[in-house]
């Protein structure tokens, strides 16, 4: 093999090795860090035609409307509990911390957390949108079967964290 | 009548852009000098009309003309005047107009400052910029005009500027970011013009470099200020969310950083030519992709500017045209490009090549993490989110070889280097970095995670390596002042940029590892402790501003019984939209920030409060500022600009 070809071979081998390890690492990291989105109905009845249900301990995101009257605050700690709804079943969300500025009853929110009981999610993050008309796009689709309308505002989430 | 004049000015600007696109390109193709000579005045005229149009938008916003839909939706009469001005880029249509202002300003600047460039190249660069101008102006006039009226029924009062945007950060962040974003179109235009001309020599690299540097410096500054703004305004103590909108600006930045380094190799050594061209095309394509992601309504994001699908479709079509066209041209021309220089493995060329690989891989990771959820959803596989942990993990892996390389590369010479003279220095620096980091972290904290140690050590390694290289270069001259004088501004900029990155790495690592926060419910007089500080809740005052009212929580911070600062954290309710906003109180410091956010009122007279202790958080923005200033310093380097001038005049002769 002449030196030029040898050099080329090394370069190609290096590139393949680099890309290979990058893809491997990415897939590994992705596997751990993809969170599926559920609506309350999907969480209870399963998602799609195969009715995939999340397992206890799974990290997931859930989006729905906060059921009016369901927000219960603890008097001494910052624990809060509320229920989410889309079209039918209710799912309880528990959270410790300060809720985002636009968290209100009857409003659409997205919570990220772990499923601790079949219909209870322990959230480490609650997001609410900065718009009166806003409903998370996924929730709007689930509720009305339509994509969300063109809003007049630039939308912003505010973020709550414990 | 006045809004219509603004619209009409844009129509005229568009007409000039169209001519700017056709005349010079046709002239360059047919060798007609007169057509080519028209380019600069067309560019200037286009710029004036766009700026005029933008001034009109500012005027109608200041005069509260709510018959204009854009003003009605983004401003209100109670808004302070400076936020009225800000509101002209606070919404989608106005932001696109600001984009046009930037685009045409860059075009005009190129037209004025490229006098010594050969006419054929100059005409083509301006022609490509004209084409891009047409694309965006057509978009503005057709589906995104900020001058649209709401007649005959219009509101007596506007909907106000989104309270989140009523912040000084918002006044400067978008213009800076856009300046950088749009500026990359100049690098793109140079690359395309060079491809058209078929002469991919160092001339275009020399010419493209200062423009790329300027755009990159603005982009760096914009991203840094954006991060600081999110931190101080959003009220949750975070500074980077890996949100699609943030990623949209990070991706071009990563590629532009690679481009800068690659351009220097192309200019000085005549190699990597085709790669550099590809990077220039990629950087601008990512800007367009970012615009598509942000403006199409395809994402549900922390701050997505959700708009209608037609607009998304237009941008997508434009993106396809630009990317497809330039890649076709690239494919046709790339085989003619030949590298001139030869180099060995241990050389600065290879170290810069590796730098490029890491930066591009980083961009691909961000791209994957941003697009995968959208693709997943469009394929009907359901909504997923790729969380912050994914990006953090990938970047913490990638930064290790990158930072190591950064400490090695600048010491290497072009072409080839015998490594045995450098190995001792590197070994000493590695050992020193480990010792300093150990002393720093174990001296200050009880718990040191391996990742934290590694990140900090990498930052220290960068500091040491940069200092070593600097000392060596200064010492190689007869006297120290002589040595310092001999180093050009470009070198100092590199030093500054690399140190800046060191600060960013240290800041990110340390603040991620040692930030603590407590959410507490407190009654007036109660004390909460966090680290060595005590927070005494004094109570809540009622406040009222020009367009909001609310409460302010007063908290005295004590350290060892002595008062440090009185924090004043607000919870505002904006009158027009009835939106709540948290206005965090921050006591900033070089080594730590104390950050306080007021939550809601609880049942028994207590208030929810969130307290953060964030060590070294300022180092990130300090690093970001250093990095951006490095770019501006290079621009001040006369040698950097003059060399390009002399070279190109030789080329003409």
């Amino acid at each position: 093999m002449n030196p030029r070809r040898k050099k080329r071979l090394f370069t190609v081998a290096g590139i393949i090795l680099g890309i290979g390890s990058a893809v491997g690492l990415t897939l590994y990291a992705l596997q751990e860090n993809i969170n599926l989105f559920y609506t309350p109905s999907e969480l209870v009845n399963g998602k799609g035609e195969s009715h995939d249900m999340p397992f206890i301990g799974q990290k997931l995101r859930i989006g729905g409307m906060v059921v009016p009257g369901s927000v219960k605050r603890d008097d001494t700690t910052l624990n809060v509990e509320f229920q989410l709804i889309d079209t039918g079943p209710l799912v309880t969300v528990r959270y410790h911390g300060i809720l985002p500025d636009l968290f209100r009853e009857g409003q659409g929110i997205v919570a990220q957390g772990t499923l601790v009981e079949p219909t209870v999610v322990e959230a480490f993050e609650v997001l609410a949108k900065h718009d009166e008309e806003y409903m998370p796009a996924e929730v709007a689709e689930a509720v009305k079967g339509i994509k969300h309308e063109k809003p007049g505002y630039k939308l912003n989430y505010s973020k709550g964290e414990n | 009548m006045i809004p219509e004049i603004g619209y009409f000015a844009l129509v005229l600007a568009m007409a000039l852009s169209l001519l700017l696109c056709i005349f010079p390109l046709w002239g360059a193709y047919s060798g007609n000098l007169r057509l080519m000579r028209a380019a600069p005045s067309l560019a200037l005229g286009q710029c004036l009309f766009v700026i005029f149009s933008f001034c009109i938008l500012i005027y109608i916003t200041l005069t509260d003309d709510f018959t204009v839909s854009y003003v009605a939706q983004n401003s209100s009469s109670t808004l302070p005047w400076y936020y009225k001005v800000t509101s002209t880029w606070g919404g989608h249509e106005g932001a696109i107009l600001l984009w046009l202002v930037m685009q045409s300003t860059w075009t005009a600047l190129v037209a004025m400052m490229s006098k010594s460039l050969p006419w054929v190249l100059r005409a083509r660069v301006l022609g490509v910029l004209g084409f891009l101008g047409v694309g965006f102006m057509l978009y503005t006039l057709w589906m995104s005009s900020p001058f649209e009226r709401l007649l005959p029924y219009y509101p007596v009062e506007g909907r106000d500027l989104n309270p989140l945007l009523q912040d000084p950060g918002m006044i400067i962040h978008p213009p800076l970011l856009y300046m950088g974003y749009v500026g990359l179109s100049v690098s793109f235009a140079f690359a395309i013009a060079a491809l058209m001309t078929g002469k991919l020599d160092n001339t275009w690299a020399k010419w493209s470099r200062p423009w790329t540097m300027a755009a990159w410096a603005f982009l760096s500054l914009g991203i840094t200020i954006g991060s600081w703004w999110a931190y101080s305004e959003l009220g949750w103590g975070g500074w980077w969310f890996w949100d699609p909108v943030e990623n949209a600006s990070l991706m071009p930045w990563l590629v532009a950083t690679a481009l800068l380094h690659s351009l220097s190799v192309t200019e000085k050594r005549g190699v990597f030519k085709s790669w550099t061209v590809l990077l220039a095309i990629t950087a601008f394509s990512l800007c367009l992709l970012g615009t598509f992601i942000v403006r199409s309504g395809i994402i549900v994001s922390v701050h997505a500017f959700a708009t209608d699908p037609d607009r998304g479709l237009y941008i997508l079509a434009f993106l396809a045209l630009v990317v497809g066209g330039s890649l076709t041209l690239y494919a046709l021309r790339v085989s003619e490009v030949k590298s001139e220089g030869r180099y060995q493995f241990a050389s600065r060329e290879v170290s810069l090549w590796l730098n490029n690989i890491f930066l591009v891989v980083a961009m691909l990771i961000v791209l994957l993490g941003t697009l995968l959820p959208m693709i997943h959803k469009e394929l009907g596989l359901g909504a997923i989110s790729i969380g912050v942990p994914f990006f953090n993990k990938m970047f913490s892996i990638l930064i290790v070889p990158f930072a190591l390389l950064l400490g090695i590369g600048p010491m290497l010479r072009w072409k080839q280097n015998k490594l045995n003279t450098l190995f001792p220095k590197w070994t000493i620096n590695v050992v020193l970095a480990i010792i300093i980091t150990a002393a720093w972290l174990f001296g200050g904290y009880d718990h040191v995670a391996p990742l934290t140690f590694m990140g900090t050590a990498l930052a220290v390694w960068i500091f040491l390596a940069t200092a070593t290289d600097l000392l060596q270069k200064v010492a190689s001259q007869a006297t120290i002042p002589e040595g310092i004088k001999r180093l050009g501004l470009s070198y100092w900029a590199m030093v500054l940029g690399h140190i800046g990155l060191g600060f960013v790495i240290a800041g990110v690592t340390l603040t991620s590892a040692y930030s603590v926060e407590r959410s507490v419910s407190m009654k007036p007089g109660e004390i909460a402790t966090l680290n060595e500080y005590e927070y005494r809740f004094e109570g809540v005052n009622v406040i009222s501003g020009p367009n909001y009212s609310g409460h302010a929580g007063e908290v005295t911070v004590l350290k060892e019984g002595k008062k440090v600062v009185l924090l004043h954290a607000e919870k505002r309710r904006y009158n027009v939209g009835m939106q709540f906003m948290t206005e965090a109180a921050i006591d900033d410091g070089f080594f730590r920030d104390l950050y306080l956010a007021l939550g809601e009122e609880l049942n028994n007279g207590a208030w929810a409060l969130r307290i953060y202790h964030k060590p070294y958080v300022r180092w990130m923005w300090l690093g970001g500022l250093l990095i951006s200033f490095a770019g501006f310093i290079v621009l001040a380097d006369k040698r950097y600009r003059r060399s390009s001038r002399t070279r190109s005049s030789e080329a003409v002769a």
Side-chain angles (χ1 to χ4, degrees):
Chain A
M1 216 187 289
N2 67 26
R4 198 184 152 85
R5 281 217 185 133
K6 207 169 168 184
K7 205 168 160 186
R8 226 177 247 177
L9 187 71
F10 271 115
T11 319
V12 171
I15 290 172
I16 291 174
L17 201 74
I19 293 176
S21 48
V23 169
L25 275 172
T26 313
L27 290 178
Y28 167 71
L30 270 178
Q31 216 173 13
E32 284 197 328
N33 295 311
I34 284 189
N35 297 321
L36 280 166
F37 179 90
Y38 292 87
T39 62
S41 327
E42 285 173 342
L43 193 110
V44 174
N45 302 326
K47 206 177 168 76
E49 284 168 13
S50 52
H51 294 280
D52 293 326
M53 307 245 280
F55 55 87
I56 303 284
Q58 181 178 324
K59 274 170 77 179
L60 50 81
R61 297 201 313 152
I62 182 156
M65 305 258 291
V66 181
V67 178
S70 74
V71 181
K72 278 185 230 130
R73 262 219 174 280
D74 197 282
D75 274 350
T76 46
T77 66
L78 286 175
N79 289 333
V80 61
E81 197 181 293
F82 54 87
Q83 290 183 308
L84 287 182
I85 190 170
D86 56 332
T87 48
L90 296 177
V91 168
T92 305
V93 177
R94 286 188 203 138
Y95 178 69
H96 173 88
I98 295 174
L99 293 164
D101 290 335
L102 281 186
F103 181 93
R104 254 171 281 167
E105 295 183 345
Q107 183 121 43
I109 64 114
V110 175
Q112 186 154 326
T114 315
L115 190 70
V116 288
E117 285 167 39
T119 60
V120 179
V121 173
E122 198 143 301
F124 56 85
E125 186 177 57
V126 174
L127 300 162
K129 269 266 186 178
H130 263 257
D131 192 282
E132 306 285 290
E133 300 152 21
Y134 176 72
M135 207 188 261
E138 293 104 335
V139 179
E141 273 170 59
V143 176
K144 299 183 196 157
I146 50 158
K147 296 239 174 194
H148 67 300
E149 288 162 32
K150 174 186 168 186
Y153 258 115
K154 184 163 145 179
L155 301 177
N156 282 276
Y157 271 122
S158 85
K159 188 171 151 110
E161 265 192 338
N162 55 340
Chain B
M1 187 59 198
I2 290 173
E4 280 69 32
I5 296 176
Y7 188 87
F8 187 63
L10 267 189
V11 174
L12 288 177
M14 157 112 184
L16 290 176
S17 290
L18 202 60
L19 295 180
L20 179 62
C21 173
I22 296 167
F23 280 4
L25 287 180
W26 180 252
Y29 177 75
S30 62
N32 185 335
L33 192 62
R34 269 181 59 199
L35 283 179
M36 289 193 263
R37 277 182 191 275
S41 12
L42 287 171
L44 223 58
Q46 165 209 247
C47 180
L48 288 178
F49 279 115
V50 172
I51 288 175
F52 179 68
S53 168
F54 188 63
C55 289
I56 285 188
L57 182 62
I58 292 178
Y59 174 78
I60 57 178
T61 313
L62 284 175
T63 52
D64 299 324
D65 186 348
F66 298 125
T67 62
V68 175
S69 164
Y70 181 80
V71 180
Q73 285 184 6
N74 293 285
S75 180
S76 74
S77 55
T78 52
L79 200 64
W81 70 267
Y82 42 91
Y83 287 132
K84 281 185 185 168
V85 175
T86 311
S87 78
T88 55
W89 57 78
H92 169 80
E93 291 84 356
I96 290 290
L97 186 58
L98 180 69
W99 174 298
L100 282 181
V101 171
M102 302 288 182
Q103 169 92 54
S104 54
T105 308
W106 279 108
T107 310
L109 283 174
V110 172
M112 287 188 292
M113 293 168 78
S114 60
K115 290 200 177 84
S116 49
L117 209 61
W119 264 111
V120 177
L121 188 59
R122 191 180 180 192
R124 285 192 166 133
V125 169
L126 291 172
V128 174
L129 285 169
F131 169 77
L132 297 176
V134 173
F136 281 104
M137 284 188 211
L138 188 64
Y139 174 68
T140 313
L141 292 172
W142 188 10
M143 38 183 57
S144 173
S145 164
F147 299 110
E148 224 166 85
R149 296 267 204 175
L150 282 174
L151 291 172
Y153 305 107
Y154 61 91
V156 279
E157 184 50 71
R159 288 185 64 185
D160 209 1
L161 179 63
N162 188 329
L164 262 184
L165 307 180
Q166 297 186 26
D167 176 84
M170 182 61 195
I171 303 178
I172 44 174
H173 163 61
L176 285 173
L177 198 68
Y178 272 33
M179 198 73 183
Y181 225 64
V182 182
L184 286 175
S185 66
V186 180
S187 323
F188 172 81
F190 269 101
I192 295 297
L195 280 177
M196 284 177 179
T197 315
K199 271 176 72 181
L200 284 167
D201 47 18
N202 338 15
T203 318
W204 84 267
K206 267 194 166 18
W207 271 94
S208 178
R209 248 181 115 186
W211 296 100
T212 311
M213 186 63 85
W216 176 85
F218 279 114
L219 194 56
S220 310
L221 198 57
I223 291 175
T224 306
I225 286 173
S227 160
W228 166 77
W229 173 47
Y231 170 83
S232 56
E233 182 62 20
L234 296 184
W236 52 277
W239 35 268
W240 195 261
F241 199 39
W242 291 110
D243 171 87
V245 176
E246 294 169 340
N247 294 347
S249 64
L250 183 64
M251 287 188 280
W253 185 84
L254 288 168
V255 175
T257 311
L259 175 61
L260 279 181
H261 290 91
S262 168
L263 269 173
S264 78
V265 185
T266 304
E267 185 199 336
K268 295 211 172 84
R269 300 281 309 137
V271 289
F272 298 0
K273 287 176 185 169
S274 47
W275 170 250
T276 307
V277 171
L278 195 59
L279 281 181
I281 295 174
T282 310
F284 183 64
S285 305
L286 284 170
C287 290
L288 288 182
L289 180 72
T291 311
F292 168 68
I293 292 174
V294 175
R295 309 268 166 208
S296 63
I298 197 169
I299 45 160
V300 184
S301 136
V302 172
H303 39 221
F305 306 73
T307 53
D308 64 316
D310 287 348
R311 289 174 176 175
L313 209 60
Y314 180 95
I315 300 175
L316 198 61
F318 190 57
L319 175 70
L321 184 66
V322 168
V323 175
S326 46
L327 287 186
T328 309
L329 187 63
Y330 179 78
L332 289 175
R333 290 302 172 105
V334 75
S335 59
E336 298 167 21
V337 181
K338 285 199 180 66
S339 284
E340 292 148 15
R342 292 258 165 271
Y343 50 91
Q344 297 296 312
F345 178 71
S347 63
R348 191 181 282 189
E349 284 93 330
V350 172
S351 82
L352 285 171
W353 180 73
L354 286 171
N355 143 302
N356 269 227
I357 296 296
F358 287 127
L359 285 166
V360 170
V361 169
M363 179 276 286
L364 289 174
I365 287 168
V366 181
L367 186 68
L368 186 80
T370 313
L371 289 187
L372 204 58
M374 296 174 206
I375 296 171
H376 205 264
K377 200 176 162 200
E378 295 302 311
L379 288 177
L381 297 170
I384 54 165
S385 73
I386 292 180
V388 174
F390 165 75
F391 293 104
N392 284 351
K393 180 172 272 174
M394 297 305 286
F395 268 74
S396 59
I397 295 170
L398 207 61
I399 195 71
V400 180
F402 185 80
L404 285 176
L405 184 72
L406 196 149
I408 293 173
M411 293 187 207
L412 291 171
R413 293 202 201 109
W414 296 111
K415 270 166 111 173
Q416 65 170 334
N417 216 140
K418 287 221 174 65
L419 291 180
N420 46 14
T421 53
L422 290 171
F423 269 129
K425 280 183 197 139
W426 293 338
T427 319
I428 293 172
N429 278 345
V430 169
V431 174
L432 266 180
I434 291 172
I435 293 172
I436 292 173
T437 309
W440 184 0
L441 294 185
F442 288 104
Y445 299 98
D446 300 332
H447 175 76
V448 180
L451 258 172
T452 312
F453 190 91
M454 191 189 65
T456 316
L458 286 174
V460 177
W461 153 258
I462 290 176
F463 292 142
L464 287 172
T466 311
T468 313
D469 188 47
L470 178 64
L471 287 176
Q472 191 186 333
K473 292 221 160 66
V474 171
S476 67
Q477 300 298 325
T479 62
I480 292 172
E482 172 79 2
I484 291 175
K485 233 164 76 186
R486 283 291 290 272
L487 298 173
L489 277 179
S490 304
Y491 181 78
W492 284 109
M494 183 191 81
V495 168
L496 212 60
H498 287 182
I499 288 178
L501 184 70
F503 271 107
V504 173
I505 295 174
V508 168
T509 308
L510 292 168
T511 201
S512 304
Y514 297 115
S515 283
V516 276
E517 59 178 90
R518 271 189 79 184
S519 296
V520 286
S521 99
M522 287 170 99
K523 289 178 189 166
E526 282 186 341
I527 288 178
T529 315
L530 189 67
N531 283 2
E532 67 269 34
Y533 293 93
E534 289 182 327
Y535 298 80
R536 192 173 67 215
F537 184 45
E538 309 288 0
V540 161
N541 298 328
V542 176
I543 51 162
S544 74
N547 54 348
Y548 61 85
S549 58
H551 298 278
E554 310 285 346
V555 171
T556 310
V557 184
L558 306 157
K559 187 182 182 183
E560 290 157 0
K562 272 184 233 150
K563 180 180 160 181
V564 179
V565 68
L566 176 73
L567 292 176
H568 172 96
E570 296 182 3
K571 185 87 164 178
R572 295 177 180 173
R573 198 181 70 162
Y574 282 80
N575 302 335
V576 179
M578 289 298 172
Q579 298 187 66
F580 285 92
M581 273 295 306
T582 303
E583 197 76 9
I586 303 169
D587 180 47
D588 51 4
F590 189 67
F591 295 109
R592 59 103 189 99
D593 271 21
L594 308 176
Y595 187 108
L596 180 84
L598 183 68
E600 67 252 62
E601 190 171 9
L602 302 172
N603 302 332
N604 49 357
W607 284 76
L609 290 162
R610 191 156 52 210
I611 309 164
Y612 299 84
H613 184 100
K614 297 199 149 289
Y616 300 102
V617 66
R618 248 141 245 273
W619 285 31
M620 283 181 315
W621 303 308
L622 171 67
L625 289 180
L626 289 177
I627 288 172
S628 339
F629 286 143
F632 290 116
I633 284 178
V634 175
L635 292 178
D637 189 349
K638 279 192 194 130
R639 276 195 286 184
Y640 192 84
R641 283 177 288 140
R642 195 183 300 145
S643 61
S644 57
R645 221 159 274 173
T646 46
R647 270 295 173 85
S648 59
S649 50
E650 281 163 25
V652 178

